[in-house]
Amino acid sequence: NYGKFEYEKYTVYQAQRKKLGIGFKIWPAAVVMCEFLDKKWKEHLSELNPCDVFAIELGAGTGLSGLFL
């Protein structure tokens, strides 16, 4: 089973293994976090070089938020 996340011109497919537990699926909160990060980036951080930005992702299912960054 694959989860699909589409945002603007990007599409991410991730394998979801629900039999392995709760960490192996795309959670709705991860999608909301991606949308929030994109909005904040466009509003406040767009003048920064993405290579100069650091972030730590602490437990977000399949890691969609980290992939989005």
Side-chain angles (χ1 to χ4, degrees):
N1 185 10
Y2 286 88
K4 181 178 176 183
F5 172 70
E6 294 182 74
Y7 195 79
E8 294 183 5
K9 62 181 181 178
Y10 303 102
T11 303
V12 175
Y13 295 93
Q14 290 185 303
Q16 297 187 117
R17 304 230 172 28
K18 294 177 184 174
K19 292 180 182 178
L20 296 176
I22 61 173
F24 293 89
K25 66 179 269 184
I26 296 176
W27 288 95
V31 174
V32 171
M33 178 60 89
C34 292
E35 292 169 351
F36 172 80
L37 291 170
D38 185 59
K39 179 181 176 187
K40 291 301 175 186
W41 182 264
K42 289 175 180 172
E43 288 178 358
H44 303 292
L45 304 173
S46 58
E47 66 273 1
L48 296 176
N49 180 346
C51 295
D52 295 333
V53 177
F54 295 90
I56 296 176
E57 179 189 316
L58 302 173
T62 58
L64 180 65
S65 302
L67 289 171
F68 186 79
L69 291 174

